[in-house]
Amino acid sequence: DSHQNPLISIIMPNYKSKKLLNSITSVLNQSYKNIELIVIDGNSGNSTIKILKNFKNKLDLWISENDRGMWDAWNKGFKLANGRFVGVVDSSNKLYPNAMEILSGYIKKNPKIDFICGTVKKDGRLYGGLQADKIYTKFNIIPSSVVGFFIKNSSLKKVGYLNLKYKIQADYDLFYRMIVKHKLKGINSK
């Protein structure tokens, strides 16, 4: 039952990542199974197509075509996602085997929330989630924004997608609209 186990969409943007295989495998090996995996590849060439074709029965959707950079790839994925929650797992990152199990627990326990910021391990350091009160003073309010962030699909549609005119701060702009303009409610996972 999707209410018991909500569908979680994972967008995996990729451009010539050497770790694509590991990243896909880390999603497919999740203990939580109600996951939609969408790979958006920026036309990385034959070796990538080969990997994607090998997984074609396990991937919900993949496309490989030229795009206008990472934010464009995110937007393509966001628009294709069917999950109640949607997030991005970059093709150079790996999920711990129980990551989506933990996420689904937060979703079930907090039916009113719009987004969840997880904890991310990067270069041996742990980065915690959201510091919404710092939206006005800091650009990097969510150091883990690229990976540990999942948003309710309906809330994302309300806020709108990433604005491609911002080359670097498109994610900051999205969070600003979420927190300041739309006053979305978020929580940190521990």
Side-chain angles (χ1 to χ4, degrees):
D1 168 35
S2 72
H3 219 70
Q4 291 310 101
N5 294 310
L7 179 64
I8 298 170
S9 294
I10 292 177
I11 313 303
M12 188 174 288
N14 177 62
Y15 186 65
K16 297 187 177 175
S17 168
K18 301 269 180 275
K19 298 178 179 171
L20 176 63
L21 197 63
N22 291 344
S23 299
I24 290 175
T25 306
S26 82
V27 174
L28 296 177
N29 290 343
Q30 287 296 302
S31 54
Y32 186 81
K33 293 302 178 201
N34 201 14
I35 295 173
E36 175 183 59
L37 177 55
I38 299 171
V39 179
I40 309 289
D41 175 60
N43 204 6
S44 299
N46 289 341
S47 56
T48 299
I49 298 287
K50 207 164 152 183
I51 291 170
L52 295 172
K53 282 188 172 161
N54 283 343
F55 280 108
K56 73 169 184 275
N57 297 336
K58 295 198 168 97
L59 297 176
D60 293 277
L61 189 71
W62 65 270
I63 53 177
S64 181
E65 61 187 21
N66 290 332
D67 57 37
R68 291 158 55 204
M70 181 175 73
W71 305 129
D72 188 26
W74 282 34
N75 281 346
K76 283 181 188 179
F78 284 153
K79 288 170 188 167
L80 293 164
N82 298 302
R84 178 145 30 121
F85 271 74
V86 56
V88 173
V89 175
D90 189 75
S91 61
S92 60
N93 294 314
K94 273 186 1 203
L95 292 177
Y96 287 107
N98 61 343
M100 293 298 105
E101 193 76 58
I102 294 167
L103 180 70
S104 73
Y106 280 99
I107 293 170
K108 288 185 243 184
K109 274 194 230 100
N110 302 280
K112 296 225 181 335
I113 55 151
D114 297 293
F115 63 95
I116 298 170
C117 294
T119 303
V120 175
K121 192 174 184 177
K122 191 176 180 181
D123 307 323
R125 287 181 60 198
L126 284 180
Y127 291 90
L130 173 74
Q131 299 169 297
D133 54 325
K134 298 196 172 127
I135 186 82
Y136 297 103
T137 55
K138 280 173 73 175
F139 266 151
N140 61 337
I141 58 153
I142 303 180
S144 63
S145 68
V146 177
V147 259
F149 168 73
F150 282 78
I151 184 167
K152 195 179 274 177
N153 209 337
S154 55
S155 303
L156 178 63
K157 284 184 171 60
K158 209 166 33 191
V159 172
Y161 299 107
L162 291 150
N163 187 335
L164 300 189
K165 80 175 183 203
Y166 298 113
K167 291 283 174 264
I168 300 167
Q169 269 114 12
D171 53 349
Y172 176 83
D173 168 66
L174 177 68
F175 287 119
Y176 188 88
R177 282 181 281 140
M178 283 165 42
I179 294 165
V180 177
K181 204 172 155 200
H182 292 274
K183 306 208 175 348
L184 297 190
K185 301 276 175 268
I187 56 164
N188 289 316
S189 66
K190 299 288 176 267

